[in-house]
Amino acid sequence: MIGTEFLPGQGLGNRLFCYVTARCLAQDKGVPFGTAGQRWLQADFLALDLGEEITGAAVSGFARYEEAEKRLYLKNSVHDMVHGCYVAGADPQLTEVADNTLVYGNLQDESYFARHREEIRQWLRVRPQFESDEYTAEDLCILNVRGGEYADDPALFLRERYWRDAMALMRRENAAMRFMIVTDDVEAANRLLPEIPAHHFSPEKDYVTVKNARYLIASNSSFAFFPAYTSTTLRKAVAPMYWARHNVSDGYWASEQNIYSLFTYLDRSGKEHSPQECRAALAAYRWPETAPWQPDDPAVTALGRRMERRRLAGRAVRKLCRIIRR
């Protein structure tokens, strides 16, 4: 058996990547598929076959394979200085795992599952009672804005310019294009793009609205990938170049795994790039040699203080704006 374990703290998108990659591996090896930690998946709106349930102590009876990592330690944030920015591409050894193994990691590279795309559409089909085409229209583009813990991190939270450039690109498809935001953080979306209606319906309706969109502007979040990947209505999807470091990268991707055939990518100047162009540019990138800082390093402490002041100042401005609007 080959499988994976769903873990507390993972988002739905991360859990689905683990599920799909592990199931593809099991199928390619011709062995049974199983999952541990099924209570953490929390995707009852999908008609998922979770394979054999691996419970409790049975997990320790399996070999554990951790996907290979690569990290850069840069002064973009305290996290990147101490823990590193995850930049890994595909792990070539992942496909060599033996039977009786559970796989762990990011597991988001398209090469792990691309040949099974039609099967994945069936594996991740939405149960009929949750399906909806309410927001499927020729003149409507869905923006999937990621807020939450991203909203206070300037390295992660996508700049307004990205969304404006992406909307301009979509208006080339249809000059009368309308826009609607689907988000986990309506307040952050309203601050970012106050004129665009923003909704957080429920996890299942957010997922279905993204899946059934004809036009999509994605954030640097895993949530939108599989709805878009399994869509039969999608015509154009845009995503941020450099993914989780769109705002700050000098050419590296965070991570390389998030270059997908599905998307066209926008750089910080608003220029459009194909996945092939993104891969070619990354292949020419000169990787710096970096090492982690210690948490008590003065440079880490100083950056942490600056970021906290910035976060508190932003919170004060947002509070003042809410008072003024009243």
Side-chain angles (χ1 to χ4, degrees):
M1 181 184 298
I2 290 175
T4 192
E5 182 179 6
F6 305 121
L7 302 170
Q10 289 178 315
L12 176 60
N14 300 99
R15 297 192 294 268
L16 291 180
F17 272 111
C18 292
Y19 169 84
V20 165
T21 294
R23 187 168 178 183
C24 288
L25 281 170
Q27 183 159 311
D28 289 344
K29 297 284 185 180
V31 300
F33 169 65
T35 51
Q38 291 185 3
R39 70 187 184 280
W40 299 112
L41 180 56
Q42 299 172 351
D44 292 342
F45 65 95
L46 298 175
L48 294 173
D49 176 358
L50 297 179
E52 184 174 329
E53 184 172 11
I54 304 166
T55 58
V59 172
S60 62
F62 287 81
R64 180 185 180 106
Y65 184 85
E66 295 279 358
E67 184 186 25
E69 289 196 356
K70 181 178 181 179
R71 293 180 180 269
L72 285 181
Y73 299 89
L74 301 170
K75 292 184 177 181
N76 295 320
S77 66
V78 170
H79 176 276
D80 288 2
M81 293 177 76
V82 176
H83 303 289
C85 176
Y86 183 89
V87 296
D91 176 1
Q93 298 305 311
L94 181 69
T95 57
E96 303 302 318
V97 297
D99 194 5
N100 200 46
T101 300
L102 297 182
V103 295
Y104 296 81
N106 201 51
L107 304 177
Q108 295 184 13
D109 197 273
E110 190 173 6
S111 66
Y112 297 155
F113 51 77
R115 61 193 171 280
H116 295 287
R117 186 171 184 179
E118 289 306 314
E119 293 163 282
I120 294 167
R121 282 196 171 107
Q122 291 302 310
W123 297 347
L124 302 186
R125 67 189 183 278
V126 174
R127 297 184 188 277
Q129 64 268 35
F130 295 105
E131 270 290 6
S132 171
D133 61 0
E134 181 178 0
Y135 298 107
T136 306
E138 296 291 341
D139 64 343
L140 180 62
C141 175
I142 302 300
L143 287 66
N144 184 217
V145 173
R146 170 67 184 272
E149 71 274 20
Y150 281 30
D152 288 323
D153 189 333
L156 274 174
F157 191 57
L158 290 168
R159 307 168 308 142
E160 179 184 349
R161 169 74 185 270
Y162 163 73
W163 301 100
R164 301 259 178 228
D165 286 342
M167 287 191 290
L169 185 64
M170 290 300 187
R171 288 191 183 100
R172 296 180 205 165
E173 302 290 323
N174 183 343
M177 189 73 78
R178 297 177 295 122
F179 299 94
M180 187 182 84
I181 295 171
V182 170
T183 180
D184 63 336
D185 189 336
V186 171
E187 182 180 351
N190 285 336
R191 293 196 307 268
L192 183 70
L193 299 164
E195 77 280 14
I196 308 296
H199 303 279
H200 179 36
F201 300 111
S202 63
E204 56 269 22
K205 189 164 184 179
D206 288 354
Y207 186 102
V208 167
T209 300
V210 171
K211 179 179 76 71
N212 292 338
R214 296 205 187 280
Y215 299 93
L216 173 68
I217 302 173
S219 67
N220 48 3
S221 165
S222 61
F223 176 82
F225 178 77
F226 279 114
Y229 196 67
T230 58
S231 176
T232 58
T233 61
L234 188 65
R235 299 201 175 152
K236 187 177 184 68
V238 174
M241 193 169 180
Y242 310 131
W243 202 253
R245 293 299 180 271
H246 172 82
N247 296 347
V248 296
S249 173
D250 65 353
Y252 65 92
W253 279 72
S255 78
E256 180 183 347
Q257 292 193 3
N258 301 117
I259 304 176
Y260 297 116
S261 60
L262 176 70
F263 295 125
T264 184
Y265 292 92
L266 288 190
D267 65 20
R268 289 195 293 274
S269 70
K271 184 179 178 182
E272 193 174 6
H273 300 262
S274 70
Q276 294 78 14
E277 290 170 333
C278 292
R279 290 197 178 278
L282 182 60
Y285 179 71
R286 297 185 64 181
W287 294 93
E289 293 187 10
T290 63
W293 277 261
Q294 293 301 311
D296 58 354
D297 188 292
V300 174
T301 303
L303 179 59
R305 288 173 178 164
R306 289 198 301 273
M307 297 305 297
E308 180 64 8
R309 288 195 297 269
R310 183 171 178 175
R311 186 184 70 82
L312 292 175
R315 179 179 291 182
V317 169
R318 295 193 292 270
K319 184 177 180 180
L320 180 60
C321 290
R322 287 196 298 270
I323 292 171
I324 292 172
R325 284 197 297 268
R326 291 174 189 165

